[in-house]
């Protein structure tokens, strides 16, 4: 089974890397950019077929390692 975990900064948390990307895109001539927020994506392959157990395990992985839950949110998607 495959899953995707997306980790993003919470609203209100400063994102200097997103600001740098935003400025760079403007410098490259791309207009119409309101703002940019950066994040992380983890594609994880799991053994087993129980989607509920996998979702629970992935949530624990996020809480313990993949996300800093003080400043980041995460979303879990089971792909197959």
């Amino acid at each position: 089974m495959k899953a995707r975990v997306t980790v993003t900064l919470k609203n209100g948390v400063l994102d200097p890397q997103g600001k740098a990307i935003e400025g760079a895109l403007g410098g490259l001539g791309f207009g119409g950019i309101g703002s940019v927020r950066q994040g992380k994506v983890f594609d994880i392959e799991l053994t087993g077929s129980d989607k509920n157990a996998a979702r629970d395990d992935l949530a624990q992985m996020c809480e313990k390692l993949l996300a800093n839950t003080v400043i980041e949110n995460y979303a879990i998607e089971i792909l197959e």
Side-chain angles (χ1 to χ4, degrees):
M1 172 181 343
K2 293 182 183 180
R4 176 166 290 153
V5 175
T6 304
V7 179
T8 56
L9 289 170
K10 290 182 177 182
N11 290 333
V13 175
L14 295 178
D15 185 359
Q17 187 174 4
K19 278 289 188 198
I21 294 167
E22 180 183 325
L25 289 172
L28 291 170
F30 294 101
I33 306 285
S35 68
V36 175
R37 304 275 292 170
Q38 64 88 32
K40 303 177 276 193
V41 175
F42 300 94
D43 288 332
I44 301 173
E45 192 166 328
L46 303 162
T47 59
S49 60
D50 185 341
K51 290 183 180 183
N52 290 328
R55 190 173 297 280
D56 290 343
D57 286 347
L58 289 161
Q60 289 181 40
M61 291 176 203
C62 290
E63 294 288 332
K64 293 181 179 181
L65 178 67
L66 300 179
N68 177 348
T69 57
V70 174
I71 62 169
E72 295 175 318
N73 293 317
Y74 61 87
I76 298 168
E77 180 183 2
I78 303 296
L79 302 174
E80 62 175 70

